[in-house]
Amino acid sequence: LGTARAAMDRLVTRTNINPNLALAYMAVLQKQNAGADGIAFLEQALKRTPDEFGLRLLYARMLADAQRYEQARLQFAMLLEQAPDNTDVLYALGLLNLQAGKVEAAEQNFRALLEYGDRSDEASFYLGQIAESRQQPAAALVHYGAVKDGTNVFSAKLRVISILAAQGKVEEALSTLAATRAGDDNEKNQLTLLHAEILAGEKRYDEAMGVFDRA
C-alpha cells in the first residue's frame, strides 16, 4: 500500500488525474485516516487541471469533511460559477454560507433550489430558519409548512408548534402537536417536553404534570 501511495504521488506530478481514479484513491486514504494526504494530492492534481469539475468537487467535499469549512465554501463557490444549475453544489454552498453567517447568500442559494424544484424540502427548512433568525414568524411558518419529506420533517413540525405557541395560538399549537407522529423514542421525548413546556407557559401546571405522568 505504501508503494501504491508513492506511485500515486509520482503520477500526480506527471499527468492529469481522472476524477474516478482520484475518488477511489481518496476512499483508500480515508480508510487509513489519511484525509490530509488526500487533500494535498487533490491540490496537486488541480494545479494541472484547474477546470476539472469532478476533481474540484471531490476536493471541496474533502475540505468539508476535514472541517475546513471556509476553504470548502470558497471551492463550492468556484464550482457554482462553473455549473450554476448544479443543485448539489447549490445545497452545499447554501449550508456553508449559512454556517459562515452569510445569510443573504445562503438565502439566494436555497431560493434557487426551490426554483429548480430540487431539494425543496431541505431548502424550505433552512429558509424557515433564516426567517426565524430575522424574527419573521409568518414567513417561517410558510417555509416550515412546505417541508413534507426528508430528515427535517419532524424538526420543521417542532418549529411550527413552537412558533404558534409563541404567537399565543396555543390551541392550534397543541392540536398540531397532537397530530405529529414521533418516529422513535427520542422524538417522542421531544414532543413530551414541548407539550409540557407549552402548558407550563400558560400556567396550566396540572395538565403539564399529567403529560409527564402519562409519558
Side-chain angles (χ1 to χ4, degrees):
L1 191 54
T3 303
R5 287 179 64 175
M8 290 295 289
D9 289 340
R10 287 196 301 273
L11 186 66
V12 75
T13 63
R14 298 177 183 178
T15 188
N16 298 348
I17 299 297
N18 180 283
N20 291 330
L21 175 62
L23 179 62
Y25 186 43
M26 293 307 104
V28 172
L29 291 179
Q30 286 186 314
K31 286 181 181 179
Q32 295 183 300
N33 296 317
D37 290 344
I39 289 172
F41 176 87
L42 291 171
E43 287 171 349
Q44 287 293 319
L46 283 166
K47 286 179 181 178
R48 294 185 62 88
T49 54
D51 294 329
E52 176 56 69
F53 185 88
L55 280 180
R56 192 168 298 280
L57 180 59
L58 182 56
Y59 178 52
R61 287 174 171 166
M62 290 286 287
L63 288 170
D65 287 344
Q67 299 183 356
R68 292 163 61 174
Y69 298 122
E70 180 58 19
Q71 291 171 277
R73 190 184 68 80
L74 294 174
Q75 293 301 315
F76 275 111
M78 293 173 65
L79 288 164
L80 192 62
E81 289 182 6
Q82 284 184 257
D85 59 349
N86 187 305
T87 52
D88 289 336
V89 170
L90 260 175
Y91 179 61
L93 184 57
L95 291 179
L96 289 164
N97 277 327
L98 196 59
Q99 185 194 55
K102 299 181 182 297
V103 178
E104 290 185 3
E107 182 181 20
Q108 290 177 3
N109 299 144
F110 294 130
R111 288 194 181 279
L113 283 174
L114 291 183
E115 290 177 9
Y116 285 120
D118 196 14
R119 291 184 176 272
S120 298
D121 292 295
E122 292 100 325
S124 293
F125 179 75
Y126 290 110
L127 286 169
Q129 286 194 336
I130 290 170
E132 271 201 277
S133 73
R134 292 172 173 166
Q135 299 183 343
Q136 299 171 342
L141 285 173
V142 171
H143 290 306
Y144 286 137
V147 181
K148 304 298 184 183
D149 198 11
T151 58
N152 295 314
V153 171
F154 184 76
S155 295
K157 285 283 188 183
L158 291 186
R159 295 313 310 148
V160 167
I161 295 164
S162 295
I163 291 170
L164 289 172
Q167 290 180 322
K169 301 175 182 178
V170 175
E171 294 309 318
E172 186 178 351
L174 292 175
S175 64
T176 303
L177 189 149
T180 301
R181 296 290 172 260
D184 54 33
D185 287 342
N186 179 52
E187 290 184 355
K188 185 176 180 180
N189 289 338
Q190 290 183 65
L191 284 175
T192 297
L193 289 170
L194 183 55
H195 192 177
E197 181 182 313
I198 292 171
L199 292 171
E202 294 296 301
K203 299 183 180 179
R204 293 160 61 174
Y205 300 120
D206 289 343
E207 292 177 71
M209 287 303 300
V211 169
F212 285 125
D213 290 341
R214 287 191 296 276

